[in-house]
Amino acid sequence: MEVTSKKNKILFIAAALLALAASSDMHNRIATDDTLIIPGIGAEKILLGETSETVIARRGAPLRTVKAETTGEVFQNIFNVKSDLKIPFDAIYYYGEGKGIFFLHMNIVSAIAGSARNRVTVDAVFLEKGVQQFIFHYGNEGLMTVPKGKHTAYCYPRKGIALFDDDGNDGIDLYMVFKAAALP
């Protein structure tokens, strides 16, 4: 009986170490690959939760910086849509077309947005292939669609990613990564 218990403990420790190593590898991959998107973790060489100093050290000075006097909410204040998903920000760093937009709250990255061009998820889904290909791979479970005229936001709150199709043409015009949230 005791041998089985020791064996289970060893297996548990080995599994935990493997998961930690895989997580560390993902973080290292994000920091060195600006084409990689890991929903709920990071993109554009930046991890969610990193500081503004890290963003500037890794990406350089932003082309534009917007500082808000009060805390805003990304979906409501930036995209002008109502959503149960709340992502706070009080500053935005814009690096130019194809180089990323970073939303910060209290000096910490709360969301990352970017162009679909030459971007791929950690699950090997190429964003340039469109919304339907993305949904085919990620499924409908937990998918929230937020339409606004010809524009639609496709949000996966539990996965930490949203896609924006501006003209209803199945193209991904913008993606956004944020910390995964459990919504009702």
Side-chain angles (χ1 to χ4, degrees), residues 111-132:
I112 302 164
S115 164
R117 181 180 288 167
N118 297 321
R119 297 302 187 263
V120 62
T121 68
V122 71
D123 305 298
V125 176
F126 290 86
L127 296 192
E128 286 181 301
K129 293 194 176 200
V131 173
Q132 294 309 312

Side-chain angles (χ1 to χ4, degrees), residues 68-88:
E69 290 182 24
T70 61
T71 297
E73 195 283 311
V74 173
F75 280 95
Q76 181 178 336
N77 299 112
I78 302 297
F79 300 114
N80 201 25
V81 295
K82 290 190 179 239
S83 173
D84 291 336
L85 182 59
K86 305 295 181 200
I87 303 168

Side-chain angles (χ1 to χ4, degrees), residues 35-51:
T35 66
L36 181 64
I37 299 167
I38 303 178
I41 303 291
E44 305 294 332
K45 289 188 168 183
I46 300 297
L47 297 166
L48 296 168
E50 288 188 312
T51 66

Side-chain angles (χ1 to χ4, degrees), residues 96-110:
E97 181 65 33
K99 296 183 180 173
I101 303 165
F102 303 91
F103 297 89
L104 297 113
H105 183 244
M106 298 173 56
N107 218 32
I108 302 295
V109 176
S110 60

Side-chain angles (χ1 to χ4, degrees), residues 125-162:
V125 176
F126 290 86
L127 296 192
E128 286 181 301
K129 293 194 176 200
V131 173
Q132 294 309 312
Q133 181 66 30
F134 191 93
I135 292 172
F136 178 77
H137 183 81
Y138 277 82
N140 289 321
E141 185 177 336
L143 173 63
M144 292 172 31
T145 56
V146 183
K148 183 179 178 190
K150 294 190 311 185
H151 314 298
T152 305
Y154 298 87
C155 304
Y156 287 90
R158 289 181 183 96
K159 294 181 184 341
I161 191 165

Side-chain angles (χ1 to χ4, degrees), residues 131 148-154 164-174:
V131 173
K148 183 179 178 190
K150 294 190 311 185
H151 314 298
T152 305
Y154 298 87
F164 300 88
D165 178 358
D166 283 345
D167 296 314
N169 61 2
D170 189 49
I172 298 172
D173 297 290
L174 185 77

